[in-house]
Amino acid sequence: MLRLLGKPNVDIVGKNSWGLHYFRRCFSNRSMSSKCTAGIIIIGDEITKGKVADTNSHYVAQKLYSLGVDVRKISVIPDEVDVIAEEVALFSKKFTHVVTAGGIGPTHDDITYQAIAHGLQERLILLPDLVALIKSHFKITVPDYDPLNPSTFPWDVETTSFDPALKMALVPASSRLHHANGVSVFPMVQVNNVYIMPGIPQYLKRCCRHLEILARNPDYAFLTNEIYVQTDEVRLAPILNAAVKQFGAHVSFGSYPVIGHSYYRTKLTMESTNQARLDAAYQYLSSELPADSIVSYDPMAIERAAEAIQDIIGGKGAHHHELQVPVSNAYQTIEECLSRYQPSEVCVSFNGGKDCSALLHLIHAAWTKRNKGSTTDGLRLRALYIRGQDPFPEMEQFIEDTRQRYDLELWTVPGPVRSGLKMALNEHPEIKAILMGTRRSDPHSANLQAFQMTDDGWPSVMRVSPILDWSYQQVWLFLRQLNLPYCNLYDKGYTSVGNRGNTQPNAALRMIDPATGLETYRPAYLLHDCMAERQGRL
């Protein structure tokens, strides 16, 4: 194991640029074999009470890991000053870097800045740079404020008398600001080795870009590899135990079973700081595992969407040959749509089905490629979900998972489709075009054009149908070859999904499990007769 050399901490007393004394715990210069550690503190009653799911710790941990930082602890705590103060003080002493998320807004329960000042024994200050930003952004005035001699306050100052916006400029006295021009108006605040981030995931992700400079450990990299297999852990255990015995001194192994995954049953991981040893462990497992159990799977398919789609269009890879023409035509339609309309005028219709799942990935690729490096202020791809009666819970969960995976701004309105569309356009009158996963085999779609206005009697909007000429098999070939997520109902024999009252597994996929003798269904992608696609609809 690599170890931290030299003294782990150095205590420094100094003054900031406004002459205020502060106490700072710094970490000494790292040697070539040094290791950086981190602690993550997630703050918010909404998290501890289960009202909101925490995704921030996962994102921050991934980011720090990619920067060579070893995350040692993740803590989830409520909006209580003493609890936050105690945790921040402990983490700041114990770890090289500390990231907090949540509690820095304008409301009564946003107390993170005060709590951190308490924990690190600092006063609060109306930081001039932050005050100037807030005055400009919120169009407020701050009477009797002198930026050359800003007022300071004890950590427990009563903040209800402050303008709510101005409260966001009340930070610990030794705060440093990190700006990201073109990414966000507001900077990230750093106090000693504590990076203070907002709880809103989209804003937190922007702040995490600063960690690439502030927290990167150039002398220590975690090298990893994975193998995905269609085998359970019981059968893998002897092979994995032998690998640990042979390589465990320098390589860490992990085995992670999953239930109901569309592509694999177990993920095997290997981690080391030595590439040669990692490669040797990978080669050993690859040779010892049954060849037919290893699955070619790309866990970064969504992140690499733009690159993968361009590879298909360019004819790279023999396994993409069948997709080149349909993907090229669909992508061209999407590009034309994004050229005709402003980003704010476009949304995608998404109900969780296989067709719109394929379409969403294509749009995501085009959207990412087009907006890469854009200064657009956080505009995300908009998606419209018109929720029908009695939807499958599995589909509802998949839609929510997809929202997170693709970072969608998802609008959900009640059905049926016509009234739902009217409601959505009334709430978002700027929308001029809706991208849809319609195919010609769908009802009333045989004569549809790629660009076509809605029919008389419907809310007026341009329907854009990029995959109109795709076949059932091409949809599944696209999803499966690119390892894209889809609703698990399709793995249970459903081939066209409506609601629970009008949909059942497709009888054409019915089979008897030879191991149990029970009736079951093959997955939807194994349906060969495309004319039977809607056979499960009642």
Side-chain angles (χ1 to χ4, degrees):
M1 295 293 293
L2 299 181
R3 61 188 180 91
L4 189 67
L5 298 183
K7 294 182 179 180
N9 309 317
V10 178
D11 295 340
I12 298 175
V13 177
K15 295 182 179 181
N16 65 12
S17 57
W18 299 282
L20 294 172
H21 288 272
Y22 63 87
F23 174 87
R24 175 173 294 176
R25 183 173 293 274
C26 297
F27 288 77
S28 57
N29 291 332
R30 301 187 298 269
S31 74
M32 288 300 290
S33 61
S34 65
K35 182 177 182 180
C36 286
T37 60
I40 300 170
I41 304 173
I42 304 300
I43 301 166
D45 290 347
E46 69 278 13
I47 306 294
T48 59
K49 294 177 181 178
K51 295 179 179 179
V52 175
D54 166 42
T55 59
N56 288 333
S57 61
H58 176 252
Y59 184 86
V60 174
Q62 277 191 325
K63 172 63 74 173
L64 290 170
Y65 184 85
S66 73
L67 300 174
V69 179
D70 185 15
V71 175
R72 303 300 298 166
K73 188 173 183 180
I74 297 174
S75 178
V76 181
I77 57 178
D79 292 308
E80 296 179 16
V81 169
D82 289 340
V83 175
I84 300 169
E86 181 180 354
E87 200 78 337
V88 168
L90 175 64
F91 275 43
S92 182
K93 293 175 183 178
K94 194 172 184 179
F95 305 121
T96 319
H97 305 288
V98 182
V99 176
T100 73
I104 60 173
T107 61
H108 70 285
D109 57 349
D110 290 311
I111 55 174
T112 296
Y113 286 140
Q114 290 175 272
I116 290 176
H118 181 27
L120 300 182
Q121 303 174 37
E122 296 195 13
R123 289 177 66 82
L124 294 166
I125 184 174
L126 284 172
L127 200 64
D129 286 353
L130 274 178
V131 171
L133 276 172
I134 286 169
K135 286 172 62 178
S136 173
H137 187 78
F138 293 101
K139 312 300 181 188
I140 65 170
T141 59
V142 186
D144 304 321
Y145 178 75
D146 182 1
L148 298 179
N149 187 29
S151 300
T152 66
F153 309 87
W155 68 265
D156 57 352
V157 62
E158 177 57 59
T159 60
T160 55
S161 61
F162 284 74
D163 182 291
L166 191 62
K167 181 185 174 185
M168 294 187 288
L170 189 66
V171 297
S174 69
S175 293
R176 295 174 55 198
L177 303 183
H178 298 282
H179 297 266
N181 295 330
V183 175
S184 178
V185 173
F186 293 99
M188 184 191 74
V189 176
Q190 176 187 351
V191 183
N192 299 349
N193 62 334
V194 181
Y195 309 111
I196 308 170
M197 300 190 183
I200 298 173
Q202 291 76 24
Y203 296 156
L204 174 133
K205 289 178 181 179
R206 297 180 195 174
C207 286
C208 279
R209 299 186 187 187
H210 295 294
L211 296 179
E212 295 174 10
I213 296 174
L214 298 170
R216 182 184 296 277
N217 184 358
D219 306 325
Y220 195 97
F222 298 112
L223 307 173
T224 63
N225 214 332
E226 301 93 24
I227 298 177
Y228 298 88
V229 293
Q230 277 287 10
T231 307
D232 60 54
E233 280 194 303
V234 173
R235 297 179 183 179
L236 290 173
I239 299 172
L240 195 57
N241 289 340
V244 172
K245 185 175 181 180
Q246 183 168 341
F247 301 97
H250 303 286
V251 180
S252 297
F253 293 84
S255 175
Y256 305 96
V258 294
I259 297 175
H261 198 280
S262 297
Y263 296 96
Y264 66 90
R265 296 179 67 182
T266 308
K267 177 173 76 170
L268 301 177
T269 65
M270 292 141 278
E271 177 186 309
S272 179
T273 56
N274 184 290
Q275 186 67 59
R277 285 168 172 158
L278 180 69
D279 291 344
Y282 178 83
Q283 291 300 326
Y284 175 85
L285 277 181
S286 298
S287 62
E288 293 297 315
L289 290 166
D292 59 356
S293 73
I294 298 177
V295 177
S296 176
Y297 178 72
D298 180 8
M300 302 293 289
I302 294 174
E303 290 79 1
R304 287 195 274 262
E307 177 186 352
I309 296 303
Q310 290 306 312
D311 284 348
I312 295 173
I313 293 173
K316 295 181 181 178
H319 61 293
H320 288 328
H321 177 71
E322 294 179 70
L323 291 172
Q324 184 176 12
V325 173
V327 168
S328 298
N329 292 339
Y331 194 83
Q332 184 177 352
T333 300
I334 294 168
E335 285 276 71
E336 183 178 346
C337 176
L338 297 180
S339 296
R340 284 193 192 185
Y341 303 99
Q342 296 297 318
S344 60
E345 297 173 338
V346 175
C347 78
V348 55
S349 176
F350 187 75
N351 65 2
K354 63 185 183 303
D355 300 327
C356 59
S357 294
L359 174 64
L360 176 62
H361 192 72
L362 284 165
I363 298 168
H364 173 72
W367 184 273
T368 302
K369 183 173 182 289
R370 180 174 286 264
N371 293 307
K372 188 175 183 179
S374 171
T375 58
T376 303
D377 187 21
L379 182 64
R380 292 178 288 154
L381 178 61
R382 282 95 170 268
L384 171 62
Y385 170 39
I386 301 178
R387 189 178 188 269
Q389 264 191 332
D390 197 22
F392 284 93
E394 296 93 334
M395 190 63 81
E396 294 271 282
Q397 184 60 55
F398 176 71
I399 290 170
E400 171 56 22
D401 292 343
T402 301
R403 180 193 67 79
Q404 295 182 30
R405 289 187 187 109
Y406 287 92
D407 191 25
L408 301 174
E409 181 180 330
L410 182 66
W411 306 329
T412 301
V413 296
V417 175
R418 188 180 308 201
S419 62
L421 180 59
K422 181 178 180 181
M423 180 183 295
L425 293 179
N426 284 340
E427 293 177 1
H428 304 280
E430 72 278 10
I431 295 299
K432 297 180 179 179
I434 298 181
L435 289 141
M436 307 177 71
T438 307
R439 293 187 293 115
R440 292 202 187 278
S441 58
D442 293 333
H444 316 297
S445 301
N447 298 317
L448 198 64
Q449 301 300 310
F451 287 83
Q452 188 167 320
M453 293 296 294
T454 47
D455 297 336
D456 291 341
W458 283 71
S460 182
V461 69
M462 179 64 75
R463 291 175 290 178
V464 184
S465 306
I467 64 169
L468 194 59
D469 294 312
W470 283 30
S471 69
Y472 178 87
Q473 285 81 8
Q474 286 171 333
V475 170
W476 279 114
L477 186 64
F478 180 80
L479 291 171
R480 297 285 300 179
Q481 278 200 3
L482 272 66
N483 301 139
L484 301 182
Y486 55 84
C487 181
N488 61 9
L489 289 172
Y490 292 109
D491 287 330
K492 300 175 182 178
Y494 293 84
T495 53
S496 177
V497 181
N499 59 49
R500 287 192 288 186
N502 67 7
T503 312
Q504 62 185 16
N506 195 318
L509 294 171
R510 187 184 295 123
M511 61 173 286
I512 301 299
D513 188 330
T516 65
L518 299 177
E519 181 179 276
T520 186
Y521 292 84
R522 292 176 295 145
Y525 58 85
L526 294 180
L527 180 70
H528 299 297
D529 181 9
C530 64
M531 300 302 294
E533 176 184 355
R534 298 180 65 85
Q535 198 167 298
R537 290 294 190 104
L538 302 178

